Amino acid sequence: MVYKISTKIKCDVRDCKNDAVYGFDVKGRGGRCCLCADCLAAVASEARAHFVPKSPLNAIKKRMKQESAYEG
């Protein structure tokens, strides 16, 4: 999904003047979006804030319920 860019291109983020290092394909006329390492890290950290993983404790409790259902 995200790939390294070997050509010299500027980052597509507004007000960023760094050279892009990573890119990904998008629909539409542009065809791809190019990001520098700093902007990619910022996007990734914001995405992690929106998608919080489930607690592993919930997975353990679910597994214990399934095992107790098979025994009983």
Side-chain angles (χ1 to χ4, degrees):
M1 177 172 250
V2 177
Y3 53 87
K4 275 199 157 226
I5 297 174
S6 59
T7 59
K8 187 172 181 173
I9 298 174
K10 293 292 181 186
C11 182
D12 287 334
V13 176
R14 183 183 302 184
D15 297 330
C16 182
K17 299 193 187 319
N18 296 334
D19 289 334
V21 181
Y22 301 100
F24 59 93
D25 296 327
V26 295
K27 289 183 179 180
R29 181 171 268 183
R32 71 177 173 181
C33 181
C34 303
L35 299 171
C36 66
D38 295 336
C39 292
L40 181 63
V43 168
S45 67
E46 286 187 32
R48 277 188 231 110
H50 291 287
F51 299 102
V52 179
K54 291 184 179 178
S55 169
L57 187 58
N58 289 339
I60 293 169
K61 285 183 179 180
K62 183 177 178 182
R63 180 71 180 183
M64 289 173 64
K65 278 186 179 180
Q66 288 175 348
E67 288 178 3
S68 65
Y70 291 126
E71 291 174 2

